Each structure stands twice: as structure tokens, then as C-alpha cells.
Amino acid sequence: MKLKHILTLIALVATASAYAAPQSFDFKDPKGVNNAVFKTDAPLESINGSANGISGTVSFDPEDPSATTGKITVTTASLTVPNPMQNGHMHSDKWLDAAKYPEITFEAKSLKNVKTEGDVTTADVTGTFTLHGVAKEITVPIKLTYLKDKLSARVPNLKGDLLVIRANFVINRNDFNIQKGQFEDKVSGTIDLSLSIAGASAK
Amino acid sequence: MKRILQILALLVVLAAGATWLVTGANRGWTKTSVAVKTLDPVTEIEGITYQKKFLPGVDLLGCAAAVAVVLAGASFFFRNNKQAQTTNK
């Protein structure tokens, strides 16, 4: 009888700790849907492009979203604009220098103003944004959507959860030494960024 | 020769203008691909892929106009056939 109680207690503790433990979500999307969109103003038309070379991991606890941490990486070479000349200029050493700085990263360190309603959490995340070799601490608003047991709906025969992260924020290229103070009449200093990514945590 | 160059200049402008109009009169720069958005039903993320498509922009019109100006300008270095014949007489 005693042994039964002990086993039950162990099972309860194990179950509780399993639920309390943060999950690790992998953002290397096999479907290639994850993307970062960027937009900046230019005289003739705004320059719109996107990047899909996204990877990284995020630690997320559905019971405590405020403890979320992680790092998202975007491959610089995956940034694409529809005009081939602009594309070449963007990747060249004059602008992003994709050969020297192959990655753009954001490492989340802390969350503030965390509000959770159902599966959706909104917060202001503070972390280190690294672009063009310059690391800068920034705070951006994010929306986290936890989709429990939805991994199999995307990847058949794979059970687990999904975490969708959305963020919209603005950076200034001058802060990252990208043609600092140059060509502002041709390419605006401010760049709008929009991140829409989904990560998977398989069970 | 004068007339041929002038006709060529006109044809270049008309061909570029017609191509620009037929492909959607893109008032931006020339593009060689277009973004195609697809909605992921589970995550509701709009995925973006690029399809190869040539979309001439105003830069193509500008180039065509420049070529036409050069052709038309070059035509002034040639005399009219009638003028040349009259001079020879």
C-alpha cells in the first residue's frame, strides 16, 4: 500500500514537472513559410523584400510565457527584392555585406508587459539585435500564439506543439553602420521589419 | 538612311511602350520576379515565394527613350535622298 502511494506521488510530481518545464521550439521551418518582411522608402517606389532563411530556437513555457528566451537567425543572403540590381546592391559590401556578415540575429533576453489571453500572449521583448556586425539592444512588441498539439496538422506523423511569433518594429540603418548618413535621399534611413515565424516542439 | 533611323527610333519607343502597357504598366523599377503569397492554414502565416516574371518598369521606358533619341539624333547626320539627288544635279 505504501509503495502504491509513493509511486502515485512520483507520477504526480513527474507529470507536474513535465507541464511546468519550458519547451524548446525549433524555428527551422520545413515548409519554408517563415519569413521576415522589410520595407523602406525610396523616391520612385518603396523597396519591399523578404527573407526566408530563418532558424533558431525559443524556450517557451505555456504556464509562464514571461520566461521566454531564445535566438532567431536570418541568413543575410536570403534577403530578396524583386529588382535584380537592387538585390545585388543590397548584398554587396556597400550595404549589408552578406559575405562578411552572413547572419542577422535577435537574441531575446527578457519580456515585459506580458499579457496572456487564452493561447495568445503579447509582450515587449528586450534583446540584442545584430545586423551588419553591430549589436544593439532593442525592445520590440511581440505576439506569441501557442498552438497545442497542432504540429501534426502541419507535419503528418509528428506530434507536438507549435509556437507562432509575430513582431513588427522599425530600425534605423544608420544605427548599424549601413551607409551611415549616406544616400538618405535614395534609400530611407528607417526600415520597417515584420517577422512571422512558427516553431515546432515535437513530443 | 535618315528615314530608316527615324523609323527605328519610333519603333523602339512604340515597342517599349506597348510592352510596358501589356505587362501591367509598372510605375516602379523593372523587376525580374514577383512575390507570391500563400496562407498557411494552421499558423495563419503568409508565406512568400518569388516567381520569375519580367515586369518592365519606368527605367526600361527611359532606356528606350534614350535609344530613340540617339537614333533620331544620328539621323540628322544623313541628308534626305531627295535633297542629295537635287544637290547632285
Side-chain angles (χ1 to χ4, degrees):
Chain A
M1 194 64 181
K2 255 186 176 179
L3 183 68
K4 195 180 173 184
H5 283 150
I6 291 167
L7 286 173
T8 310
L9 191 66
I10 290 170
L12 279 171
V13 169
T15 311
S17 61
Y19 275 105
Q23 292 174 244
S24 181
F25 288 84
D26 183 4
F27 282 79
K28 186 87 182 165
D29 183 15
K31 292 211 161 189
V33 171
N34 287 351
N35 66 77
V37 173
F38 56 92
K39 183 183 173 186
T40 186
D41 280 332
L44 186 61
E45 64 176 343
S46 62
I47 299 167
N48 296 288
S50 65
N52 58 8
I54 292 165
S55 60
T57 53
V58 168
S59 172
F60 175 79
D61 183 352
E63 300 299 314
D64 183 16
S66 63
T68 304
T69 56
K71 185 179 179 181
I72 298 296
T73 301
V74 178
T75 311
T76 312
S78 75
L79 269 72
T80 308
V81 291
N83 181 283
M85 194 180 284
Q86 285 176 350
N87 219 32
H89 286 168
M90 183 175 66
H91 292 146
S92 76
D93 57 350
K94 299 274 190 297
W95 291 86
L96 294 179
D97 201 349
K100 193 174 177 185
Y101 308 109
E103 291 179 343
I104 299 162
T105 60
F106 181 76
E107 189 167 3
K109 287 176 180 168
S110 64
L111 267 69
K112 282 180 184 167
N113 303 324
V114 181
K115 287 172 193 160
T116 302
E117 266 185 46
D119 294 333
V120 178
T121 298
T122 56
D124 293 327
V125 59
T126 300
T128 308
F129 185 72
T130 307
L131 168 66
H132 198 240
V134 178
K136 192 175 161 59
E137 191 167 289
I138 59 169
T139 299
V140 299
I142 58 162
K143 183 180 168 187
L144 304 160
T145 307
Y146 175 62
L147 301 171
K148 191 172 170 57
D149 298 326
K150 289 283 185 184
L151 179 57
S152 59
R154 287 192 94 210
V155 187
N157 306 323
L158 206 55
K159 287 182 179 175
D161 307 329
L162 291 169
L163 180 68
V164 179
I165 302 178
R166 293 176 193 275
N168 296 300
F169 57 105
V170 179
I171 59 161
N172 193 315
R173 66 178 170 88
N174 292 313
D175 294 339
F176 298 92
N177 288 337
I178 302 169
Q179 295 280 18
K180 193 174 183 178
Q182 303 285 311
F183 306 111
E184 296 225 2
D185 54 332
K186 290 178 180 166
V187 179
S188 171
T190 55
I191 303 164
D192 295 333
L193 297 174
S194 177
L195 191 72
S196 305
I197 55 175
S201 174
K203 284 176 182 168
Chain B
M1 191 63 180
K2 187 182 180 87
R3 183 62 66 198
I4 290 170
L5 287 172
Q6 287 171 344
I7 290 169
L8 268 177
L10 188 66
L11 281 176
V12 166
V13 168
L14 287 176
T19 308
W20 182 73
L21 280 172
V22 166
T23 53
N26 167 32
R27 282 180 286 177
W29 300 107
T30 295
K31 296 170 179 68
T32 54
S33 59
V34 287
V36 179
K37 291 181 180 177
T38 47
L39 185 73
D40 183 280
V42 181
T43 61
E44 294 181 348
I45 291 175
E46 268 195 339
I48 300 169
T49 52
Y50 287 90
Q51 272 184 0
K52 283 191 174 179
K53 188 179 179 183
F54 183 69
L55 266 185
V58 292
D59 48 337
L60 184 108
L61 287 180
C63 279
V67 169
V69 166
V70 169
L71 287 171
S75 74
F76 289 110
F77 290 101
F78 296 92
R79 289 178 179 175
N80 281 332
N81 284 344
K82 280 181 185 174
Q83 260 186 341
Q85 282 166 6
T86 314
T87 314
N88 288 339
K89 279 178 185 177

Coordinates of all heavy atoms in Angstrom, one line a residue, chain A residues 104-191:
Chain A
I104 N 21.8 37.7 -39.6 CA 21.2 38.8 -38.8 C 20.5 38.1 -37.6 O 19.8 37.1 -37.9 CB 20.1 39.5 -39.7 CG1 20.8 40.2 -40.9 CG2 19.4 40.6 -38.9 CD1 19.9 40.6 -42.0
T105 N 20.8 38.5 -36.4 CA 20.2 37.7 -35.3 C 19.5 38.6 -34.3 O 19.7 39.8 -34.2 CB 21.4 37.0 -34.5 OG1 22.3 38.0 -34.0 CG2 22.1 36.0 -35.4
F106 N 18.6 38.0 -33.6 CA 17.9 38.6 -32.4 C 17.9 37.6 -31.3 O 17.4 36.5 -31.4 CB 16.5 39.1 -32.8 CG 15.8 39.8 -31.6 CD1 16.2 41.1 -31.3 CD2 14.9 39.1 -30.8 CE1 15.6 41.7 -30.2 CE2 14.3 39.8 -29.7 CZ 14.7 41.1 -29.4
E107 N 18.5 38.0 -30.2 CA 18.6 37.2 -29.0 C 17.7 37.8 -27.9 O 18.0 38.8 -27.4 CB 20.0 37.0 -28.6 CG 20.1 35.9 -27.5 CD 21.6 35.5 -27.2 OE1 22.5 36.1 -27.8 OE2 21.8 34.6 -26.4
A108 N 16.6 37.1 -27.6 CA 15.6 37.6 -26.6 C 16.2 37.3 -25.2 O 16.6 36.2 -24.9 CB 14.3 37.0 -26.8
K109 N 16.1 38.4 -24.4 CA 16.6 38.2 -23.0 C 15.6 38.3 -22.0 O 15.6 37.5 -21.0 CB 17.7 39.2 -22.8 CG 19.0 38.9 -23.5 CD 20.1 39.9 -23.4 CE 21.3 39.6 -24.2 NZ 22.3 40.7 -24.3
S110 N 14.6 39.2 -22.1 CA 13.6 39.3 -21.1 C 12.3 39.9 -21.7 O 12.3 40.6 -22.8 CB 14.0 40.3 -20.0 OG 14.2 41.6 -20.5
L111 N 11.2 39.6 -21.1 CA 9.9 40.0 -21.5 C 9.2 40.9 -20.5 O 9.4 40.6 -19.3 CB 8.9 38.8 -21.8 CG 8.9 38.3 -23.2 CD1 10.2 37.6 -23.6 CD2 7.7 37.3 -23.4
K112 N 8.6 42.0 -21.0 CA 7.9 42.9 -20.0 C 6.5 43.1 -20.6 O 6.2 42.8 -21.7 CB 8.6 44.2 -19.9 CG 9.8 44.1 -19.0 CD 10.5 45.5 -18.9 CE 11.8 45.4 -18.1 NZ 12.7 46.5 -18.2
N113 N 5.6 43.7 -19.7 CA 4.2 43.9 -20.1 C 3.5 42.7 -20.7 O 2.9 42.8 -21.7 CB 4.1 45.1 -21.1 CG 4.8 46.3 -20.6 OD1 4.7 46.6 -19.4 ND2 5.4 47.1 -21.4
V114 N 3.8 41.6 -20.1 CA 3.2 40.3 -20.6 C 1.8 40.2 -20.3 O 1.3 40.3 -19.1 CB 4.0 39.1 -19.9 CG1 3.5 37.8 -20.5 CG2 5.5 39.2 -20.2
K115 N 1.0 40.0 -21.3 CA -0.5 39.8 -21.2 C -0.9 38.5 -21.9 O -0.6 38.4 -23.1 CB -1.2 41.0 -21.7 CG -1.1 42.2 -20.9 CD -1.7 43.4 -21.6 CE -1.3 44.7 -20.9 NZ -1.4 45.9 -21.7
T116 N -1.5 37.6 -21.2 CA -1.9 36.3 -21.8 C -3.5 36.2 -21.8 O -4.1 36.4 -20.8 CB -1.3 35.1 -21.1 OG1 0.1 35.3 -21.2 CG2 -1.6 33.8 -21.8
E117 N -4.0 35.9 -23.0 CA -5.4 35.6 -23.1 C -5.6 34.4 -23.9 O -5.3 34.4 -25.1 CB -6.1 36.8 -23.8 CG -6.7 37.8 -22.9 CD -7.5 38.9 -23.6 OE1 -8.3 38.5 -24.5 OE2 -7.3 40.1 -23.3
G118 N -6.0 33.3 -23.2 CA -6.1 32.0 -23.9 C -4.7 31.5 -24.4 O -3.8 31.5 -23.6
D119 N -4.6 31.3 -25.7 CA -3.3 30.8 -26.2 C -2.4 32.0 -26.7 O -1.3 31.7 -27.2 CB -3.5 29.8 -27.3 CG -4.2 28.6 -26.8 OD1 -4.0 28.3 -25.7 OD2 -4.9 27.9 -27.6
V120 N -2.9 33.2 -26.6 CA -2.2 34.3 -27.2 C -1.5 35.2 -26.1 O -2.2 35.6 -25.1 CB -3.1 35.2 -28.1 CG1 -2.4 36.4 -28.6 CG2 -3.7 34.4 -29.2
T121 N -0.3 35.4 -26.2 CA 0.5 36.3 -25.3 C 1.1 37.5 -26.0 O 1.6 37.3 -27.1 CB 1.6 35.5 -24.6 OG1 1.1 34.4 -23.9 CG2 2.4 36.4 -23.7
T122 N 0.9 38.6 -25.5 CA 1.5 39.8 -26.1 C 2.5 40.3 -25.0 O 2.3 40.2 -23.8 CB 0.6 40.9 -26.5 OG1 -0.2 41.3 -25.3 CG2 -0.4 40.5 -27.6
A123 N 3.6 40.9 -25.5 CA 4.7 41.4 -24.6 C 5.6 42.3 -25.3 O 5.6 42.4 -26.5 CB 5.4 40.2 -24.0
D124 N 6.5 42.9 -24.5 CA 7.6 43.7 -25.1 C 8.8 42.9 -24.8 O 9.2 42.7 -23.6 CB 7.6 45.1 -24.5 CG 6.4 45.9 -24.9 OD1 5.9 45.8 -26.0 OD2 6.0 46.8 -24.0
V125 N 9.5 42.5 -25.8 CA 10.7 41.7 -25.6 C 12.0 42.6 -25.8 O 12.0 43.3 -26.8 CB 10.7 40.5 -26.6 CG1 10.7 40.8 -28.0 CG2 12.0 39.6 -26.3
T126 N 12.9 42.4 -24.9 CA 14.1 43.1 -25.0 C 15.2 42.1 -25.3 O 15.3 41.0 -24.7 CB 14.5 43.8 -23.6 OG1 13.4 44.8 -23.4 CG2 15.8 44.6 -23.7
G127 N 16.1 42.5 -26.2 CA 17.1 41.6 -26.6 C 18.2 42.3 -27.5 O 18.1 43.5 -27.7
T128 N 19.1 41.5 -27.9 CA 20.2 42.0 -28.7 C 20.0 41.7 -30.2 O 19.9 40.6 -30.6 CB 21.6 41.4 -28.3 OG1 21.7 41.6 -26.9 CG2 22.7 42.1 -29.0
F129 N 19.9 42.8 -31.0 CA 19.7 42.7 -32.4 C 21.0 43.0 -33.1 O 21.6 44.0 -32.9 CB 18.6 43.7 -32.9 CG 18.2 43.6 -34.3 CD1 17.5 42.5 -34.8 CD2 18.6 44.6 -35.2 CE1 17.1 42.4 -36.1 CE2 18.3 44.5 -36.6 CZ 17.5 43.4 -37.0
T130 N 21.5 42.0 -33.9 CA 22.8 42.1 -34.5 C 22.6 42.2 -36.0 O 22.0 41.2 -36.6 CB 23.7 41.0 -34.1 OG1 23.8 40.9 -32.7 CG2 25.1 41.2 -34.7
L131 N 23.0 43.3 -36.6 CA 22.9 43.5 -38.1 C 24.2 44.2 -38.6 O 24.7 45.1 -37.9 CB 21.7 44.3 -38.3 CG 21.5 44.9 -39.7 CD1 21.3 43.8 -40.8 CD2 20.3 45.8 -39.8
H132 N 24.7 43.6 -39.6 CA 25.9 44.3 -40.2 C 27.1 44.3 -39.2 O 27.8 45.3 -39.2 CB 25.5 45.7 -40.8 CG 26.5 46.2 -41.7 ND1 27.2 47.4 -41.5 CD2 26.9 45.8 -43.0 CE1 28.0 47.7 -42.6 NE2 27.8 46.7 -43.5
G133 N 27.1 43.3 -38.4 CA 28.2 43.3 -37.4 C 28.0 44.2 -36.2 O 28.9 44.2 -35.3
V134 N 26.9 44.9 -36.1 CA 26.7 45.8 -35.0 C 25.6 45.3 -34.1 O 24.5 45.0 -34.6 CB 26.3 47.2 -35.5 CG1 26.0 48.2 -34.3 CG2 27.4 47.8 -36.4
A135 N 25.9 45.1 -32.8 CA 24.9 44.6 -31.9 C 24.3 45.7 -31.1 O 25.0 46.6 -30.6 CB 25.6 43.6 -30.9
K136 N 23.0 45.7 -31.0 CA 22.3 46.8 -30.3 C 21.1 46.3 -29.5 O 20.4 45.4 -30.0 CB 21.8 47.8 -31.4 CG 21.3 49.1 -30.9 CD 21.0 50.0 -32.1 CE 20.1 51.2 -31.7 NZ 20.6 52.1 -30.6
E137 N 21.0 46.8 -28.3 CA 19.8 46.3 -27.5 C 18.6 47.0 -27.9 O 18.6 48.3 -27.9 CB 20.1 46.5 -26.0 CG 19.1 45.7 -25.2 CD 19.5 45.6 -23.7 OE1 20.4 44.8 -23.4 OE2 18.9 46.3 -22.9
I138 N 17.5 46.3 -28.2 CA 16.3 46.9 -28.6 C 15.1 46.2 -27.9 O 15.2 45.1 -27.5 CB 16.0 46.9 -30.2 CG1 16.0 45.4 -30.7 CG2 17.1 47.7 -30.9 CD1 15.5 45.3 -32.1
T139 N 14.0 46.9 -27.8 CA 12.8 46.4 -27.3 C 11.7 46.4 -28.3 O 11.5 47.5 -28.9 CB 12.4 47.2 -26.0 OG1 13.4 47.1 -25.0 CG2 11.1 46.6 -25.4
V140 N 11.1 45.3 -28.6 CA 10.1 45.3 -29.7 C 8.8 44.5 -29.1 O 8.9 43.6 -28.3 CB 10.6 44.6 -30.9 CG1 11.7 45.3 -31.5 CG2 10.9 43.1 -30.7
P141 N 7.6 45.0 -29.6 CA 6.4 44.3 -29.2 C 6.3 43.0 -30.0 O 6.5 43.0 -31.2 CB 5.3 45.3 -29.6 CG 5.9 46.1 -30.7 CD 7.4 46.1 -30.5
I142 N 5.9 41.9 -29.3 CA 5.7 40.7 -30.0 C 4.3 40.0 -29.6 O 3.8 40.4 -28.6 CB 6.8 39.6 -29.7 CG1 6.9 39.4 -28.2 CG2 8.1 40.1 -30.3 CD1 7.7 38.1 -27.9
K143 N 3.9 39.1 -30.4 CA 2.7 38.4 -30.2 C 3.1 36.9 -30.3 O 3.6 36.5 -31.3 CB 1.6 38.7 -31.2 CG 0.3 38.1 -31.0 CD -0.7 38.5 -32.0 CE -1.9 37.7 -32.1 NZ -2.8 38.1 -33.2
L144 N 2.8 36.1 -29.2 CA 3.1 34.7 -29.2 C 1.8 33.9 -29.2 O 0.9 34.2 -28.4 CB 3.9 34.3 -28.0 CG 5.2 35.1 -27.7 CD1 5.6 35.0 -26.2 CD2 6.3 34.5 -28.6
T145 N 1.7 33.0 -30.2 CA 0.5 32.2 -30.2 C 0.9 30.7 -30.0 O 1.6 30.2 -30.8 CB -0.3 32.4 -31.5 OG1 -0.5 33.8 -31.7 CG2 -1.6 31.6 -31.5
Y146 N 0.4 30.1 -28.9 CA 0.8 28.8 -28.6 C -0.3 27.8 -29.2 O -1.5 27.9 -28.8 CB 0.9 28.6 -27.1 CG 1.1 27.2 -26.6 CD1 2.3 26.5 -27.0 CD2 0.3 26.6 -25.7 CE1 2.5 25.2 -26.5 CE2 0.5 25.3 -25.2 CZ 1.6 24.6 -25.7 OH 1.9 23.4 -25.2
L147 N 0.1 27.0 -30.1 CA -0.9 26.0 -30.7 C -0.6 24.6 -30.2 O 0.3 23.9 -30.8 CB -0.8 26.1 -32.2 CG -1.1 27.5 -32.8 CD1 -0.8 27.5 -34.3 CD2 -2.6 27.9 -32.6
K148 N -1.3 24.2 -29.2 CA -1.0 22.9 -28.6 C -1.5 21.8 -29.5 O -2.6 21.8 -30.0 CB -1.8 22.9 -27.2 CG -1.4 21.7 -26.4 CD -2.0 21.8 -25.0 CE -1.8 20.5 -24.2 NZ -0.4 20.1 -24.1
D149 N -0.6 20.8 -29.6 CA -0.9 19.6 -30.4 C -1.3 19.9 -31.9 O -2.0 19.1 -32.5 CB -2.1 18.8 -29.8 CG -1.8 18.3 -28.4 OD1 -0.6 18.0 -28.1 OD2 -2.7 18.3 -27.5
K150 N -0.8 21.0 -32.4 CA -1.1 21.3 -33.8 C 0.0 21.0 -34.8 O -0.1 21.2 -36.0 CB -1.4 22.8 -33.9 CG -2.7 23.3 -33.3 CD -3.9 22.9 -34.2 CE -5.2 23.4 -33.6 NZ -6.3 23.0 -34.4
L151 N 1.1 20.4 -34.2 CA 2.2 20.1 -35.1 C 1.8 19.1 -36.2 O 2.2 19.2 -37.4 CB 3.4 19.6 -34.3 CG 4.7 19.2 -35.1 CD1 5.2 20.4 -36.0 CD2 5.8 18.8 -34.2
S152 N 1.0 18.1 -35.8 CA 0.6 17.0 -36.7 C -0.2 17.6 -37.9 O -0.3 17.0 -38.9 CB -0.1 15.9 -36.0 OG -1.2 16.5 -35.4
A153 N -0.9 18.7 -37.6 CA -1.7 19.3 -38.7 C -0.8 19.9 -39.8 O -1.2 20.0 -41.0 CB -2.6 20.4 -38.1
R154 N 0.5 20.2 -39.4 CA 1.4 20.8 -40.4 C 2.3 19.7 -41.0 O 2.6 19.6 -42.1 CB 2.3 21.9 -39.8 CG 1.6 23.1 -39.6 CD 2.7 24.2 -39.2 NE 3.0 24.9 -40.4 CZ 4.2 25.5 -40.6 NH1 5.2 25.3 -39.7 NH2 4.5 26.1 -41.7
V155 N 2.8 18.9 -40.0 CA 3.8 17.8 -40.4 C 3.1 16.5 -40.0 O 3.1 16.1 -38.8 CB 5.1 18.0 -39.7 CG1 6.1 16.9 -40.3 CG2 5.7 19.4 -39.9
P156 N 2.5 15.7 -40.9 CA 1.9 14.5 -40.6 C 2.9 13.5 -39.9 O 4.0 13.5 -40.2 CB 1.4 13.9 -41.9 CG 1.4 15.1 -42.8 CD 2.4 16.1 -42.4
N157 N 2.3 12.7 -39.0 CA 3.1 11.7 -38.3 C 4.1 12.3 -37.3 O 5.0 11.6 -36.8 CB 3.9 10.8 -39.2 CG 2.9 10.1 -40.3 OD1 1.8 9.8 -39.9 ND2 3.4 10.0 -41.5
L158 N 3.9 13.5 -37.0 CA 4.8 14.2 -36.0 C 3.9 14.9 -34.9 O 3.2 15.8 -35.3 CB 5.7 15.2 -36.7 CG 7.0 15.5 -36.0 CD1 7.8 14.2 -35.7 CD2 7.9 16.4 -36.8
K159 N 3.9 14.4 -33.7 CA 3.1 15.0 -32.7 C 3.9 16.1 -31.9 O 5.1 15.9 -31.7 CB 2.6 13.9 -31.7 CG 1.6 13.0 -32.3 CD 1.1 12.0 -31.2 CE 0.0 11.1 -31.9 NZ -0.4 10.1 -31.0
G160 N 3.2 17.1 -31.5 CA 3.8 18.2 -30.8 C 3.1 19.5 -30.9 O 1.9 19.5 -31.3
D161 N 3.7 20.5 -30.4 CA 3.1 21.9 -30.4 C 3.7 22.8 -31.3 O 4.9 22.6 -31.7 CB 3.2 22.4 -28.9 CG 2.6 21.4 -27.9 OD1 1.7 20.7 -28.3 OD2 3.1 21.4 -26.8
L162 N 3.0 23.9 -31.6 CA 3.6 24.9 -32.4 C 3.6 26.3 -31.7 O 2.7 26.5 -30.8 CB 2.7 25.1 -33.7 CG 2.8 24.0 -34.7 CD1 1.7 24.3 -35.8 CD2 4.1 23.9 -35.4
L163 N 4.5 27.1 -32.0 CA 4.6 28.5 -31.4 C 4.7 29.4 -32.5 O 5.7 29.4 -33.3 CB 5.7 28.6 -30.4 CG 5.9 30.0 -29.7 CD1 4.7 30.2 -28.8 CD2 7.2 30.1 -29.0
V164 N 3.8 30.3 -32.7 CA 3.8 31.3 -33.7 C 4.3 32.7 -33.1 O 3.7 33.1 -32.1 CB 2.5 31.5 -34.5 CG1 2.6 32.6 -35.5 CG2 2.0 30.2 -35.0
I165 N 5.3 33.3 -33.7 CA 5.8 34.6 -33.2 C 5.6 35.6 -34.3 O 6.0 35.4 -35.4 CB 7.2 34.5 -32.8 CG1 7.5 33.5 -31.7 CG2 7.7 35.9 -32.3 CD1 8.9 33.3 -31.3
R166 N 5.0 36.7 -33.9 CA 4.8 37.9 -34.8 C 5.4 39.1 -34.2 O 5.1 39.3 -33.0 CB 3.3 38.1 -35.2 CG 2.7 37.0 -36.0 CD 1.2 37.2 -36.2 NE 0.5 36.1 -36.7 CZ 0.5 35.7 -38.0 NH1 1.0 36.5 -38.9 NH2 -0.2 34.6 -38.3
A167 N 6.1 39.9 -35.0 CA 6.7 41.1 -34.4 C 6.8 42.1 -35.5 O 7.1 41.8 -36.7 CB 8.1 40.8 -33.8
N168 N 6.4 43.4 -35.2 CA 6.6 44.5 -36.2 C 7.4 45.6 -35.5 O 7.0 46.0 -34.4 CB 5.2 45.0 -36.6 CG 4.4 44.0 -37.4 OD1 4.8 43.5 -38.4 ND2 3.3 43.6 -36.8
F169 N 8.4 46.0 -36.1 CA 9.2 47.0 -35.5 C 10.0 47.8 -36.5 O 10.1 47.4 -37.7 CB 10.1 46.5 -34.3 CG 11.1 45.4 -34.8 CD1 12.4 45.7 -34.9 CD2 10.7 44.1 -35.0 CE1 13.3 44.7 -35.3 CE2 11.5 43.1 -35.3 CZ 12.9 43.4 -35.5
V170 N 10.6 48.9 -36.1 CA 11.4 49.8 -37.0 C 12.8 49.9 -36.5 O 13.0 50.1 -35.3 CB 10.7 51.2 -37.1 CG1 11.5 52.1 -38.0 CG2 9.3 51.1 -37.5
I171 N 13.7 49.8 -37.5 CA 15.1 50.0 -37.1 C 15.7 51.2 -38.0 O 15.0 51.5 -39.0 CB 16.0 48.8 -37.3 CG1 16.0 48.3 -38.7 CG2 15.7 47.7 -36.3 CD1 17.1 47.3 -39.1
N172 N 16.8 51.7 -37.6 CA 17.4 52.7 -38.5 C 18.8 52.2 -38.9 O 19.6 51.8 -38.1 CB 17.6 54.0 -37.6 CG 18.0 55.2 -38.5 OD1 18.8 55.1 -39.4 ND2 17.3 56.3 -38.3
R173 N 19.0 52.2 -40.3 CA 20.2 51.6 -40.8 C 21.4 52.3 -40.3 O 22.5 51.7 -40.3 CB 20.1 51.5 -42.3 CG 20.1 52.8 -43.1 CD 20.0 52.6 -44.6 NE 19.8 53.8 -45.3 CZ 20.7 54.6 -45.7 NH1 22.0 54.4 -45.5 NH2 20.4 55.7 -46.5
N174 N 21.3 53.6 -40.0 CA 22.4 54.4 -39.5 C 23.0 53.8 -38.2 O 24.2 53.9 -37.9 CB 22.0 55.9 -39.3 CG 21.8 56.5 -40.7 OD1 22.5 56.4 -41.6 ND2 20.7 57.2 -40.8
D175 N 22.0 53.3 -37.4 CA 22.5 52.7 -36.1 C 23.3 51.4 -36.3 O 24.0 51.0 -35.4 CB 21.2 52.3 -35.3 CG 20.4 53.5 -34.8 OD1 21.0 54.6 -34.8 OD2 19.2 53.3 -34.5
F176 N 23.3 50.9 -37.5 CA 24.0 49.6 -37.8 C 25.1 49.8 -38.8 O 25.6 48.9 -39.4 CB 23.0 48.5 -38.2 CG 22.0 48.2 -37.1 CD1 20.8 48.8 -37.0 CD2 22.3 47.3 -36.1 CE1 19.9 48.6 -36.0 CE2 21.4 47.0 -35.1 CZ 20.2 47.7 -35.0
N177 N 25.5 51.1 -39.0 CA 26.6 51.5 -39.9 C 26.4 51.0 -41.3 O 27.3 50.6 -42.0 CB 28.0 50.9 -39.4 CG 28.4 51.7 -38.2 OD1 28.0 52.9 -38.0 ND2 29.3 51.1 -37.4
I178 N 25.1 51.0 -41.8 CA 24.8 50.6 -43.1 C 24.7 51.9 -43.9 O 23.7 52.7 -43.8 CB 23.5 49.8 -43.3 CG1 23.7 48.6 -42.4 CG2 23.3 49.4 -44.7 CD1 22.4 47.8 -42.2
Q179 N 25.8 52.3 -44.6 CA 25.9 53.6 -45.4 C 25.4 54.7 -44.5 O 24.5 55.5 -44.9 CB 25.0 53.5 -46.7 CG 25.5 52.5 -47.7 CD 26.7 53.0 -48.6 OE1 27.3 53.9 -48.2 NE2 26.9 52.3 -49.6
K180 N 26.0 54.8 -43.3 CA 25.6 55.8 -42.3 C 25.6 57.2 -42.9 O 26.7 57.7 -43.4 CB 26.6 55.7 -41.1 CG 26.1 56.4 -39.9 CD 27.0 56.2 -38.7 CE 26.4 56.8 -37.5 NZ 27.2 56.6 -36.3
G181 N 24.5 57.8 -42.8 CA 24.3 59.2 -43.3 C 24.5 59.4 -44.8 O 24.5 60.5 -45.3
Q182 N 24.5 58.3 -45.5 CA 24.7 58.3 -47.0 C 23.4 58.0 -47.7 O 22.6 57.1 -47.2 CB 25.8 57.4 -47.4 CG 27.1 57.5 -46.8 CD 27.9 58.7 -47.3 OE1 28.0 58.9 -48.5 NE2 28.3 59.6 -46.5
F183 N 23.2 58.5 -48.9 CA 22.1 58.2 -49.8 C 20.7 58.2 -49.1 O 19.8 57.5 -49.5 CB 22.3 56.8 -50.4 CG 23.6 56.6 -51.0 CD1 24.6 55.8 -50.5 CD2 24.0 57.3 -52.2 CE1 25.8 55.6 -51.1 CE2 25.2 57.1 -52.8 CZ 26.1 56.3 -52.2
E184 N 20.5 59.1 -48.2 CA 19.2 59.1 -47.5 C 18.1 59.7 -48.4 O 16.9 59.5 -48.2 CB 19.3 59.9 -46.2 CG 20.2 59.3 -45.2 CD 19.6 59.2 -43.8 OE1 18.5 59.7 -43.6 OE2 20.4 58.7 -42.9
D185 N 18.6 60.3 -49.5 CA 17.6 60.8 -50.5 C 17.2 59.7 -51.4 O 16.1 59.8 -52.1 CB 18.2 62.0 -51.3 CG 19.5 61.6 -51.9 OD1 20.2 60.7 -51.4 OD2 19.9 62.1 -53.0
K186 N 17.9 58.6 -51.4 CA 17.6 57.5 -52.3 C 17.0 56.3 -51.5 O 16.2 55.6 -52.0 CB 18.9 57.0 -53.1 CG 19.3 58.0 -54.1 CD 20.6 57.5 -54.8 CE 21.0 58.6 -55.9 NZ 22.3 58.4 -56.4
V187 N 17.5 56.0 -50.4 CA 17.0 54.9 -49.5 C 16.8 55.5 -48.1 O 17.8 56.0 -47.5 CB 18.0 53.7 -49.5 CG1 17.5 52.6 -48.6 CG2 18.3 53.2 -50.9
S188 N 15.6 55.4 -47.6 CA 15.3 56.0 -46.3 C 16.2 55.4 -45.2 O 16.6 54.2 -45.3 CB 13.8 55.7 -46.0 OG 13.6 56.1 -44.6
G189 N 16.4 56.1 -44.1 CA 17.2 55.6 -43.0 C 16.4 54.6 -42.2 O 17.0 53.6 -41.7
T190 N 15.1 54.7 -42.1 CA 14.3 53.8 -41.3 C 13.8 52.6 -42.2 O 13.5 52.8 -43.4 CB 13.1 54.5 -40.8 OG1 12.3 55.1 -41.8 CG2 13.5 55.6 -39.7
I191 N 13.8 51.5 -41.6 CA 13.4 50.2 -42.2 C 12.3 49.6 -41.4 O 12.6 49.3 -40.2 CB 14.6 49.3 -42.4 CG1 15.7 50.0 -43.2 CG2 14.2 48.0 -43.1 CD1 17.1 49.2 -43.1

